[in-house]
Amino acid sequence: MTTRRNFLRLVGSTAAGGVISQYGTEIARAFEQVAEGDMEVVWFQGQSCTGCTISTLQAQYPTLEEALNEFRLEVTFHPTIMPEAGEAAIESMSMSPDILIVEGSIPTDIPEAATIGGRTAEDWVTDLAPQSDIIVSVGNCAAFGGWPAAENKKRLYDLGENVTGAKGLQFEKRKKGGVLGADFTGGAGLPVVNLGGCPPNPDYVLLTLATVLNGHVPELDEYNRPLPFYEPLVHDNCMHRGYFDRGEFADKPGGEGCLLKQGCKGPYTHCDDQTRLWNDGTSVCLNVSAPCIGCMEPGFWDRFSPFQQEMEGSPVLGNVSATQAGAVGVAAAAAGIGAHLGRRAMGYGKFESAEKADAETKAAEEDTE
Amino acid sequence: MPEIDIDPTTRIEGHHGITLQVDADGTVTEAKSKMEMFRGAEIVTLGRPPSDAPQITGMVCGVCFLCHRFCSSKAAEDAAMNADNVDFGGPPANAVRLRDTVEGIFYLWNHAVHLFALVGPDYSDAVAGTGFDRLDPLEGDGYMAAMANQRKVMKALAEFGGRAPHPVAYVPGGLATRPDVSTIQAVKSRVQEVSNWLGATENVPQVIENVQNGEFDPALGEGLHDIVSIILAAAEAGAADIGQGPDRFYSNGMFEDPESGELFLKRGVYRNGSAEELTKQEIIDGITEDTEYSWYTDDSGGAPTEAKPPEPAPEKDQAYSWGKAPRFDGQSMEVGPLARMVITGLDPFDLRGTLGGGAAESNTLNRLIARAQEALVVRDQVMGWLDAIDPSEPFMADDWSDDFTGKGVGLMEASRGALSHYMDIENGEIERYQIITPTIWNLGPRDGSGQPSPLEEGVVGDVVSDVENPLTVLRTIRSMDPCLACSVHVQSPENASKTEVEPVTPSIGGGGCDI
């Protein structure tokens, strides 16, 4: 238990993107340990864009090819990189993998909307998951439904709000359930581990795999995301935070100032990307003045769209406008309370309890009714 | 007559299968290219502000992510410029330059990943016994070096976009990001590093000689040796004689000089043996889509500037793909690097002329050669384009607003080929949206007159000497670098095949896939 926490805290509390390299040895050891035990992995794609695969290919410590090859993880199926095609590809797939990784959402109203080898993704996943020890949803689509579940606002052609009925494995947006049901657990006794993000940071994928391969039980938040990666608030670590506290807001994307009024969803979004950074410590969305779009969260897309508009009246931000928020921030800072307390006083921040998650589920259910 | 069903087609982006009719001699007599995923991008886009369209469509594909974001922004900007109720003057010259330059760097990324990771293994020692073990997937030194270098290109893209894939800095009106001199310098040094691995373009003749003699000189470019290995292995395997497409090509043109408006890669078509440069309007006017064999209602087809968003019709007789069949002047057209090279009139070192049976021949080998040629040609321009960016000038238009009524079209060349987005805006809300992707030009179904897509035409006549191992067909499919994620399609629910022969491709070590 202690080891697990230490390992997760270490890899989760990086001060800069490159820090992960310091723990490369431990990560490498995790993969080496499983090399002796014929661990089989299936990487399955539902309604996907392959962005999560491409993101994972950018991992550095270890690289994905090292994880797959040097550490001899047996990936019996990955449609983008495997040598086989056709029936041979299907035959090589383990039907009871140690780890099942799913990328992309699973269509349930039009199951034929994602097929492989003549079978629907829904059939594949509902067959594979109960036979798998550990199941990991990589990306917002596999975790929560992602963009295929984004709203059909015009209700065209008698199709539902969700065009193909796209769901995540164990969630549909913020609602528990998904394709496998709310109570599902894999062979190792864990629910589906959700790595939200469009796409998730590659470190999240390989570090989560390293954690479970080490035999540790990852500490999960209310949306089954590994807590260390998804606990920090983007807004807390934003390079433009000083502007927010002074109430200085940009008047267009890329303008000088806090991007809240340009639709930044940083105050509602949880991930450690602001400190971890992307592409081996190169940059992150807000560092190039692009407003956060909230891609790490369940309910992304529609919860945060229109993307360039400020989110008003949100249950997270309350009814405090950006200008008022800045003013409160300034007042709080002036009073010596500090930005952090100032923010808490306004009633937004991370979701703090399971009760709150259940309330979110309930609210989401009411939204759809 | 046996039927061969290959599903899934792996080492491409997304869900795809192909059904082949093969005669007694193993000659392919008919092919059906099946697209097997549907998400409804156009439908999801409706009812939202124009600025949301690049965000949504940009994430339609995680492999060719920049191009949709870029093309959708161009469509939104075009609609605003055509609108009566706003005075939008277009994105600043800096934004035009930078977005094009980033796409140029992206070409380098996509072509490298395609050549090494997707088609490369088909010509490796492990899969095809070619002796080129540097190309072996996840094991060969060449493959691994390419993976390391694609990472460096992605870092260069992240300098501008914040992250890659799915960067978020590119918006209608220009760019959110304001790169300074040091950021541009950082990008240049990353691109330079990858460029050094690739090797100088002028070394091509010497490297060809090296590879033919079994020599390897890293000073001339490690990447160049491996790419030449792929090309020579493909030539040896007879790739010039397979995958013959329609010998008609189409390109939207790419890399625009913001001052002169001149395109570095030309816009137009190639047909009846000659290239014709066309205007944007002539391109728009020439395109229609056909849904006879698509799982869409008949009235979902037509001109993309007028047609309604595609309406699913899964019960439709005869349909086998939810890809529509786009046509130019009623004709199928091949798109991609070969189309761009042919229309621009480029054949560096006369490689297609000498190895591929002619500079404008549409075949599997020439698609590979053109991709390699284009990677080098564009690489040689990128540094100059980066130098033309002025960090002191604006990157974002002051007068961009979502609140207008207008219609617009974005045309560009994604790395895989011609891409177009069509957007109608009414009172700040998207009323109609259409996307035509490179992959549906190349891999779509046949049309109402029975005319097949370039892939369906390309594999007909190919001889499958071993029905258990139709590697030639896979090589042809992959030569077109399909990207299915953005082609909004689904497979026929009724996948009836009479006689199914199970195809098998060689795998590493003969046993299971040990990767």
Side-chain angles (χ1 to χ4, degrees):
Chain A
M1 206 64 175
T2 313
T3 318
R4 155 176 77 87
R5 281 180 184 275
N6 283 349
F7 178 61
L8 277 179
R9 291 292 170 195
L10 282 172
V11 299
S13 62
T14 54
V19 167
I20 206 76
S21 62
Q22 293 174 18
Y23 304 100
T25 314
E26 182 157 3
I27 299 163
R29 198 162 61 235
F31 285 96
E32 277 166 358
Q33 279 171 1
V34 302
E36 292 154 19
D38 284 335
M39 297 285 282
E40 291 183 335
V41 178
V42 168
W43 184 304
F44 190 85
Q45 292 179 329
Q47 290 168 302
S48 70
C49 73
T50 311
C52 296
T53 288
I54 298 297
S55 176
T56 309
L57 279 175
Q58 311 315 314
Q60 289 281 97
Y61 305 106
T63 66
L64 183 62
E65 349 36 299
E66 283 167 350
L68 297 182
N69 193 20
E70 198 172 313
F71 305 126
R72 289 182 287 136
L73 261 180
E74 294 237 336
V75 176
T76 63
F77 189 83
H78 190 310
T80 316
I81 56 177
M82 69 193 307
E84 295 95 333
E87 194 64 29
I90 298 292
E91 279 174 2
S92 75
M93 190 194 310
S94 166
M95 289 306 292
S96 56
D98 297 280
I99 299 180
L100 171 64
I101 298 169
V102 179
E103 171 180 11
S105 53
I106 308 299
T108 58
D109 291 348
I110 308 178
E112 300 86 352
T115 63
I116 288 185
R119 291 189 80 207
T120 67
E122 189 177 20
D123 284 347
W124 278 114
V125 166
T126 50
D127 277 0
L128 283 166
Q131 302 301 321
S132 306
D133 274 352
I134 290 157
I135 302 103
V136 180
S137 285
V138 175
N140 205 298
C141 296
F144 309 119
W147 96 243
E151 191 182 351
N152 169 15
K153 285 181 181 293
K154 296 275 188 184
R155 299 291 190 276
L156 276 195
Y157 311 136
D158 291 328
L159 296 165
E161 175 185 312
N162 179 332
V163 176
T164 58
K167 293 181 181 178
L169 292 190
Q170 225 170 353
F171 277 85
E172 183 182 5
K173 299 185 179 174
R174 285 183 288 164
K175 226 174 10 176
K176 288 176 186 168
V179 177
L180 298 174
D183 299 326
F184 173 85
T185 53
L190 281 172
V192 176
V193 177
N194 285 330
L195 302 178
C198 188
N201 192 303
D203 288 354
Y204 295 2
V205 181
L206 291 178
L207 289 171
T208 298
L209 290 178
T211 305
V212 295
L213 290 173
N214 259 339
H216 302 320
V217 178
E219 213 173 334
L220 303 177
D221 73 3
E222 54 271 43
Y223 296 112
N224 293 347
R225 302 176 295 187
L227 196 57
F229 305 138
Y230 293 93
E231 189 174 38
L233 195 61
V234 166
H235 185 62
D236 280 348
N237 300 303
C238 178
M239 69 178 291
H240 307 293
R241 180 55 192 264
Y243 288 121
F244 173 85
D245 290 340
R246 292 192 296 276
E248 293 169 22
F249 297 95
D251 59 356
K252 61 181 176 184
E256 195 81 10
C258 168
L259 295 163
L260 196 69
K261 289 185 171 182
Q262 299 308 313
C264 182
K265 305 305 187 290
Y268 319 96
T269 304
H270 297 81
C271 69
D272 71 354
D273 281 356
Q274 292 305 117
T275 47
R276 182 177 299 279
L277 304 180
W278 280 75
N279 303 87
D280 192 26
T282 301
S283 195
V284 69
C285 311
L286 280 157
N287 286 13
V288 297
S289 298
C292 171
I293 54 172
C295 75
M296 300 284 171
E297 292 297 321
F300 171 79
W301 293 68
D302 291 306
R303 197 174 155 217
F304 299 128
S305 170
F307 289 100
Q308 290 195 10
Q309 280 177 31
E310 184 186 350
M311 232 168 114
E312 292 278 6
S314 140
V316 183
L317 193 61
N319 290 318
V320 182
S321 76
T323 314
Q324 288 167 316
V328 174
V330 172
I337 299 169
H340 182 63
L341 287 176
R343 191 186 73 254
R344 287 181 70 90
M346 288 187 299
Y348 71 90
K350 64 189 174 69
F351 304 118
E352 278 162 349
S353 66
E355 289 76 32
K356 187 146 185 184
D358 289 337
E360 292 276 347
T361 302
K362 205 174 164 191
E365 278 164 1
E366 281 163 8
D367 284 353
T368 47
E369 276 164 11
Chain B
M1 186 178 289
E3 183 169 277
I4 302 176
D5 196 42
I6 308 173
D7 180 4
T9 309
T10 49
R11 277 186 281 119
I12 60 166
E13 195 306 306
H15 301 238
H16 178 259
I18 191 163
T19 305
L20 307 170
Q21 304 292 333
V22 185
D23 71 12
D25 301 327
T27 305
V28 177
T29 56
E30 191 186 298
K32 287 181 177 174
S33 170
K34 305 178 298 183
M35 292 166 163
E36 304 181 328
M37 187 174 77
F38 170 72
R39 290 173 297 178
E42 285 109 332
I43 293 171
V44 163
T45 309
L46 305 181
R48 300 172 191 265
S51 287
D52 271 13
Q55 189 66 63
I56 291 169
T57 61
M59 282 158 166
V60 160
C61 186
V63 181
C64 39
F65 43 87
L66 277 168
C67 60
H68 285 286
R69 200 172 177 110
F70 185 4
C71 197
S72 184
S73 296
K74 283 166 79 92
E77 288 160 358
D78 192 45
M81 284 189 279
N82 290 335
D84 291 333
N85 60 337
V86 288
D87 187 21
F88 175 68
N94 252 349
V96 174
R97 273 202 193 92
L98 185 59
R99 296 195 301 203
D100 261 8
T101 306
V102 167
E103 185 64 22
I105 297 170
F106 185 82
Y107 273 35
L108 195 56
W109 180 84
N110 185 63
H111 291 347
V113 167
H114 177 79
L115 288 166
F116 284 90
L118 303 180
V119 308
D122 287 343
Y123 305 100
S124 68
D125 194 48
V127 170
T130 56
F132 292 120
D133 57 5
R134 285 179 55 88
L135 304 176
D136 289 352
L138 290 163
E139 287 179 357
D141 288 343
Y143 184 101
M144 297 300 266
M147 296 311 278
N149 278 284
Q150 66 87 21
R151 219 165 271 130
K152 290 176 189 167
V153 182
M154 280 292 213
K155 285 184 204 175
L157 297 173
E159 295 277 7
F160 291 135
R163 63 172 182 174
H166 289 333
V168 287
Y170 311 89
V171 295
L175 294 126
T177 187
R178 291 159 287 150
D180 55 16
V181 176
S182 69
T183 303
I184 293 170
Q185 195 50 48
V187 171
K188 286 179 75 169
S189 62
R190 292 186 194 284
V191 173
Q192 189 60 55
E193 213 180 321
V194 176
S195 185
N196 292 343
W197 157 73
L198 194 57
T201 303
E202 66 200 34
N203 295 343
V204 168
Q206 180 60 48
V207 170
I208 290 175
E209 207 177 310
N210 278 5
V211 174
Q212 281 168 336
N213 297 329
E215 289 163 18
F216 187 85
D217 181 359
L220 296 176
E222 289 183 42
L224 216 45
H225 280 78
D226 293 326
I227 289 173
V228 167
S229 301
I230 293 169
I231 290 171
L232 293 182
E236 179 71 19
D241 301 322
I242 62 170
Q244 265 89 15
D247 282 327
R248 288 186 299 270
F249 301 98
Y250 142 59
S251 164
N252 280 330
M254 191 63 192
F255 306 122
E256 178 185 356
D257 184 316
E259 265 83 48
S260 67
E262 197 178 326
L263 292 161
F264 178 68
L265 299 176
K266 304 299 178 201
R267 172 185 292 141
V269 295
Y270 177 97
R271 52 188 168 185
N272 306 322
S274 63
E276 305 161 35
E277 281 195 49
L278 297 175
T279 65
K280 179 180 176 182
Q281 195 57 48
E282 285 169 331
I283 291 282
I284 293 170
D285 291 345
I287 297 173
T288 52
E289 289 191 293
D290 185 289
T291 58
E292 180 85 11
Y293 291 93
S294 317
W295 294 104
Y296 296 116
T297 56
D298 289 343
D299 64 351
S300 294
T305 46
E306 299 296 333
K308 65 181 192 176
E311 179 180 5
E315 73 289 351
K316 193 169 160 183
D317 286 345
Q318 302 296 320
Y320 57 88
S321 172
W322 284 30
K324 292 185 279 188
R327 297 291 181 261
F328 188 83
D329 283 350
Q331 293 182 309
S332 66
M333 291 278 161
E334 179 174 336
V335 302
L338 178 57
R340 291 191 287 264
M341 292 291 104
V342 169
I343 290 165
T344 307
L346 279 169
D347 183 14
F349 305 106
D350 199 20
L351 289 182
R352 303 197 308 275
T354 52
L355 289 172
E361 293 289 319
S362 164
N363 63 53
T364 297
L365 178 60
N366 272 347
R367 288 183 200 108
L368 287 178
I369 295 175
R371 193 174 303 277
Q373 288 175 320
E374 187 178 69
L376 297 173
V377 163
V378 170
R379 182 272 309 267
D380 291 342
Q381 300 297 320
V382 161
M383 291 299 191
W385 293 337
L386 279 169
D387 283 336
I389 289 157
D390 183 350
S392 65
E393 290 294 313
F395 288 89
M396 180 72 196
D398 280 327
D399 49 357
W400 173 260
S401 154
D402 274 345
D403 191 17
F404 63 90
T405 296
K407 298 181 176 193
V409 182
L411 298 182
M412 67 175 283
E413 281 291 312
S415 53
R416 291 174 161 84
L419 173 65
S420 44
H421 282 227
Y422 305 79
M423 192 190 294
D424 289 4
I425 311 298
E426 276 188 40
N427 300 318
E429 198 175 89
I430 300 170
E431 195 59 29
R432 215 181 54 84
Y433 207 95
Q434 295 281 355
I435 303 172
I436 304 183
T437 67
T439 298
I440 69 165
W441 282 100
N442 285 341
L443 269 73
R446 60 203 65 229
D447 59 31
S449 63
Q451 182 181 204
S453 63
L455 174 68
E456 293 177 329
E457 180 174 348
V459 296
V460 167
D462 284 3
V463 177
V464 182
S465 53
D466 178 4
V467 289
E468 301 273 311
N469 180 20
L471 191 56
T472 49
V473 172
L474 289 165
R475 283 171 168 163
T476 295
I477 296 171
R478 290 178 188 137
S479 73
M480 293 185 176
D481 195 14
C483 186
L484 277 297
C486 51
S487 311
V488 283
H489 313 120
V490 71
Q491 185 186 29
S492 157
E494 299 162 280
N495 190 12
S497 57
K498 298 280 186 287
T499 311
E500 190 155 306
V501 179
E502 294 175 357
V504 179
T505 58
S507 61
I508 298 171
C513 168
D514 188 26
I515 55 171

